[in-house]
Amino acid sequence: MIEFRQVSKRFPDGTLAVSGLDLVIPARQTTVFVGSSGSGKTTILRMINRMVDPSSGSILIDGNDIGGLEPVALRRSIGYVMQNSGLLPHRTVLDNIATVPLLRGAKRGTAREHARELMAVVGLDPNLAQRYPAQLSGGQQQRVGVARGLAADPNILLMDEPFGAVDPIVRAELQVELQRIQRELGKTIVFVTHDIDEAFLLGDQVALFRHGGILAQLGAPRELLDNPADEFVSGFIDAGRPRSILR
Ligand code: ADP
Ligand code: MG
């Protein structure tokens, strides 16, 4: 379980990205952060692995304040998947997936063997193992990114708009794959998107943020749909559903 207690973040230039956030993210479920661009989703996500540190407040993982943990070790123990996959261009698929285990001192052979298993988990053809990222489609690159995020066998997987850069059909395939992987592995997934449909599809719990990292509503998709907390929430849900105007 991940817990935010009165967390605020003001960047050095004065931008208040997050203010007074209280939030509990349950273990072994998918929590989706959704909100407009600039609402603070990435900042909040990155505070979980200390890529960003809060200005005030605390964040606890399974009851331990992460402010006391060593940031590099923490980062390597938590999976992180971002848009455009962030793969290393001069390393093969297999070595990209094995990056973190190798940094943590795994033997090369063992790490590559595990990387091959992960290719199967994320639905990648084993023949792609020796390719370089530029030789893959966008959807394949994102699958490699997910495999890399899983490589250290983390309990927590952070995903920042991981399917934002692929076309709608591939995106739908990746969403289905993620649901399957989650059923099999049961990770604590924190998934960021600006797409309310994606949030409702993937989230056991959805956290809708407004500008300034303010939590507008937290709940299961059904709760947000049936009982929106206010007009901001209902407006955000409606704006994400343009096809309703075609009825
Ligand atoms: P989102 O992921 O929801 O689009 P972000 O967390 O990236 O939002 O940004 C939230 C706010 O913080 C925005 O106003 C953004 O410009 C600002 N911000 C993000 N990173 C920095 C930074 N390193 N320095 C200054 N402001 C930042
Ligand atoms: Mg972002």
Side-chain angles (χ1 to χ4, degrees):
M1 175 176 113
I2 306 166
E3 193 177 351
F4 285 75
R5 290 191 187 160
Q6 280 298 303
V7 170
S8 299
K9 176 63 187 182
R10 188 182 290 281
F11 285 105
D13 69 356
T15 306
L16 185 62
V18 184
S19 54
L21 177 64
D22 286 310
L23 173 65
V24 172
I25 297 173
R28 294 181 200 85
Q29 292 188 12
T30 301
T31 295
V32 177
F33 293 173
V34 65
S36 311
S37 177
S39 56
K41 306 179 298 295
T42 293
T43 302
I44 298 165
L45 189 79
R46 289 182 169 183
M47 288 196 277
I48 297 171
N49 69 357
R50 296 199 62 189
M51 288 167 81
V52 174
D53 279 327
S55 312
S56 61
S58 50
I59 298 163
L60 291 81
I61 296 181
D62 296 335
N64 300 313
D65 189 333
I66 63 169
L69 302 179
E70 208 278 304
V72 173
L74 180 70
R75 224 162 285 153
R76 287 179 187 168
S77 72
I78 294 178
Y80 188 79
V81 185
M82 58 189 144
Q83 196 175 336
N84 300 318
S85 73
L87 300 177
L88 301 165
H90 304 299
R91 288 202 192 161
T92 63
V93 164
L94 219 50
D95 285 345
N96 264 287
I97 296 172
T99 302
V100 171
L102 290 172
L103 284 169
R104 286 168 52 160
K107 291 205 177 93
R108 189 164 292 274
T110 313
R112 284 188 174 154
E113 198 176 312
H114 185 221
R116 273 186 206 285
E117 291 165 13
L118 285 167
M119 287 183 71
V121 170
V122 300
L124 277 170
D125 185 331
N127 294 321
L128 301 176
Q130 299 308 326
R131 289 221 194 152
Y132 291 91
Q135 299 168 321
L136 302 175
S137 71
Q140 289 167 338
Q141 289 180 22
Q142 287 310 117
R143 285 175 199 262
V144 176
V146 174
R148 188 180 54 173
L150 292 169
D153 196 23
N155 295 323
I156 298 172
L157 185 60
L158 308 179
M159 308 184 80
D160 194 352
E161 310 222 17
F163 311 146
V166 296
D167 68 64
I169 292 173
V170 172
R171 182 177 201 172
E173 287 171 9
L174 291 169
Q175 289 168 341
V176 170
E177 289 280 317
L178 182 64
Q179 289 176 302
R180 178 186 59 75
I181 291 168
Q182 176 63 336
R183 275 196 304 277
E184 288 171 11
L185 303 182
K187 301 289 182 185
T188 303
I189 296 180
V190 190
F191 188 106
V192 168
T193 182
H194 57 263
D195 177 345
I196 192 72
D197 287 327
E198 186 167 63
F200 284 164
L201 178 71
L202 297 177
D204 297 303
Q205 165 173 266
V206 173
L208 172 54
F209 290 99
R210 64 170 96 215
H211 190 77
I214 293 168
L215 190 54
Q217 191 166 355
L218 175 70
R222 211 48 278 158
E223 294 173 62
L224 271 72
L225 276 165
D226 292 349
N227 288 308
D230 56 22
E231 287 188 355
F232 173 82
V233 175
S234 50
F236 193 89
I237 292 172
D238 290 343
R241 295 167 175 267
R243 55 187 175 280
S244 62
I245 64 172
L246 299 175
R247 272 203 298 254

